[in-house]
Amino acid sequence: MDWMYMWMPIAGVNIFWPGLVLIGFSVGVIGGFFGMGGAWMVTPGLNILGFPMAFAIGTDIAHIAGKSMISTIRHSKFGNVDYKLGVIMIIGTVFGIEIGAQLVMWLESIGKVGPVVRWVYVFVLLLIATMVFVDYWKAVRKKKAGIVGEHGAEGITWYKTLHRIKIPPVMHFKVSGITCSAWLPIMVSFLTGILAGFLGIGGGLLRMPALVYLIGCPTHIAVGTDLFEVMISGLYGTFTFGAKGRIEIWAVFVMLCGAAIGAQIGTVATKYAKGYGIRVAFGLAVLACMVSIILKQFKFDISATVLILSAVGLICLYICVIMFKGAAEELREKRMEKSAA
Amino acid sequence: MKTVYSPLLLIAGAAAFLLPEALWAAGGSAEMLVVVADSRQVSSGVNRYLLDLYNTNPMGFGILCVITTAILGCGLGLITDFIMKQTGIDLKSRKIVEH
């Protein structure tokens, strides 16, 4: 079985390469569907495969950059990427991350960084999950009451209130179909940037719901636009971690082979999923992430890893089912149309 | 229109200068641990080149990581996209339905 192990010359370890392909595939599927990098899923997997921690994070970021590029290309062809909005949001994200990082440094100086960051992370994830499920519950009620908008029933519509604040310059984002003050996306990305910098995460987990609930992007466009941002920040992360010697480049190549297939499946699955299908599955993923952090906080490291990997497996399976069922139905309809003609 | 975009262009320009430092700072407090790859077991080929670059030129290795990741990401994206097209699925349009 030696052929199943690959020598990683930089990290100096033998790695079970099908495991890398599988991790790349799963995160490709989930990332393409939810519009996030998914670092919280990859790092435990790389650790299990025997990657030294020093290389796990950098390798993970480089893989996320490549994977997001694949998903962005696909989402872009569907018309799911609002580049104008994405570029504007980068401004806020950059300044936000800097302030978040400074906050962490201050906490470090008073020796309270570990528990504070973890509990803030848990609180933010709980807030996102609650928001997603309350939104779903409200949307179901509205649908039953017959209150349906352009894209179907909507639960939480905070963005409508925020759109009324017309501080110049007011901009129109054609792809998202929204008109608002340019300060709205800048401020939202600034706040999510602070949180991302503070929590030490990429920020996709925070930006995707923020794009939906605060800026008013349709879910599909929020997913595509967020991936565009993840791609840019991921490429810069690749450079910084590469220059610090924390990337095992061969592992990135192997993982990308799996991610390339996974990202296509995840992205195409959004075509067959309703916005709320994506939101609810996202909420469940956030819940799994939250419980795993609580378990880690109480030193149940193995249980946390098992939970994360089980959640990744199940969500990945759910997305694959959506994609294959949807594609089969579409092809069947096309065949029927052809035979009728 | 010009007045609308001017402040934004100014901010974008400032961000381009601040981006490296901000993101570098976001990487957390820099670990001063120096990792050296063992190149004794590798005598030639791409592996040797990568290991030498890794050990002697960290900045060059960082740039190489970005370029190879971008090329591979783009290349694999286009190949899998082509394969996906062969299935006959409509990959250019989708309906946005929220609920």
Side-chain angles (χ1 to χ4, degrees):
Chain A
M1 298 293 271
D2 276 356
W3 64 273
M4 286 193 136
Y5 285 83
M6 190 177 169
W7 174 247
M8 297 289 151
I10 293 172
V13 286
N14 259 323
I15 295 287
F16 180 68
W17 65 264
L20 288 178
V21 176
L22 196 66
I23 290 176
F25 173 81
S26 314
V27 180
V29 171
I30 295 174
F33 191 73
F34 292 141
M36 57 187 183
W40 55 279
M41 300 178 264
V42 183
T43 316
L46 286 179
N47 266 327
I48 285 180
L49 290 179
F51 249 94
M53 199 57 197
F55 289 97
I57 299 169
T59 306
D60 179 10
I61 286 186
H63 150 257
I64 281 170
K67 180 213 75 177
S68 306
M69 196 170 275
I70 299 165
S71 300
T72 306
I73 293 172
R74 179 73 272 153
H75 271 294
S76 179
K77 289 185 180 171
F78 274 133
N80 287 347
V81 185
D82 194 329
Y83 289 105
K84 191 173 165 187
L85 183 62
V87 168
I88 284 177
M89 285 185 77
I90 286 169
I91 301 165
T93 304
V94 167
F95 287 103
I97 284 177
E98 169 64 14
I99 291 174
Q102 295 297 333
L103 266 173
V104 170
M105 281 175 193
W106 174 71
L107 279 173
E108 220 169 47
S109 68
I110 59 168
K112 292 202 168 167
V113 69
V116 171
V117 168
R118 255 182 205 172
W119 285 117
V120 169
Y121 199 3
V122 166
F123 176 73
V124 169
L125 293 177
L126 182 67
L127 204 72
I128 294 173
T130 311
M131 199 165 68
V132 168
F133 295 123
V134 167
D135 171 42
Y136 179 69
W137 173 69
K138 276 188 164 183
V140 170
R141 273 187 19 178
K142 279 189 183 174
K143 196 177 182 183
K144 277 182 187 165
I147 308 165
V148 180
E150 188 193 347
H151 298 304
E154 274 185 295
I156 292 174
T157 52
W158 294 332
Y159 68 89
K160 284 184 181 168
T161 312
L162 292 169
H163 283 185
R164 281 189 213 120
I165 306 167
K166 303 273 185 197
I167 302 169
V170 174
M171 295 180 95
H172 178 64
F173 299 98
K174 196 177 163 193
V175 180
S176 303
I178 53 174
T179 303
C180 63
S181 164
W183 293 104
L184 176 62
I186 291 173
M187 286 315 291
V188 167
S189 58
F190 177 68
L191 294 175
T192 51
I194 291 179
L195 267 175
F198 181 75
L199 301 174
I201 58 171
L205 205 65
L206 311 169
R207 252 191 328 262
M208 204 288 261
L211 275 161
V212 172
Y213 296 119
L214 303 178
I215 296 180
C217 278
T219 313
H220 296 72
I221 290 161
V223 169
T225 308
D226 194 22
L227 276 167
F228 170 65
E229 283 219 36
V230 171
M231 178 188 85
I232 291 174
S233 55
L235 280 176
Y236 191 77
T238 305
F239 172 69
T240 55
F241 279 93
K244 285 174 187 160
R246 296 293 187 273
I247 294 178
E248 175 50 84
I249 196 76
W250 288 115
V252 175
F253 295 164
V254 176
M255 285 166 83
L256 273 180
C257 292
I261 304 164
Q264 289 288 341
I265 293 176
T267 309
V268 176
T270 60
K271 176 180 150 93
Y272 305 113
K274 284 184 178 174
Y276 273 87
I278 300 174
R279 290 187 202 185
V280 170
F282 177 79
L284 291 172
V286 168
L287 268 186
C289 181
M290 186 193 79
V291 176
S292 85
I293 292 165
I294 295 173
L295 287 171
K296 267 189 187 167
Q297 181 64 25
F298 293 107
K299 309 282 178 211
F300 293 109
D301 286 1
I302 298 172
S303 313
T305 307
V306 169
L307 176 77
I308 281 289
L309 296 181
S310 315
V312 167
L314 285 174
I315 295 169
C316 187
L317 194 70
Y318 165 74
I319 297 168
C320 287
V321 169
I322 291 179
M323 148 74 193
F324 290 115
K325 265 178 85 175
E329 204 169 304
E330 183 184 330
L331 292 173
R332 201 179 307 127
E333 275 173 16
K334 273 187 179 174
R335 270 199 303 270
M336 280 169 71
E337 273 173 24
K338 236 181 197 176
S339 57
Chain B
M1 239 9 216
K2 216 175 180 181
T3 49
V4 170
Y5 284 111
S6 301
L8 284 173
L9 280 175
L10 199 71
I11 296 167
F17 283 104
L18 290 168
L19 183 78
E21 198 180 334
L23 286 176
W24 200 289
S29 55
E31 287 175 51
M32 292 313 289
L33 182 72
V34 178
V35 183
V36 179
D38 186 2
S39 57
R40 287 171 300 181
Q41 295 176 32
V42 187
S43 54
S44 61
V46 185
N47 271 350
R48 180 71 197 212
Y49 171 75
L50 278 173
L51 289 182
D52 286 342
L53 190 70
Y54 179 85
N55 286 331
T56 57
N57 185 359
M59 199 65 83
F61 182 73
I63 294 169
L64 183 89
C65 284
V66 173
I67 294 171
T68 46
T69 304
I71 292 175
L72 204 67
C74 258
L76 285 171
L78 293 173
I79 293 169
T80 46
D81 207 41
F82 175 77
I83 296 169
M84 203 56 133
K85 269 184 199 157
Q86 307 309 307
T87 58
I89 302 170
D90 173 18
L91 294 171
K92 283 192 176 152
S93 62
R94 48 94 186 92
K95 275 182 201 162
I96 290 185
V97 181
E98 292 291 359
H99 201 279

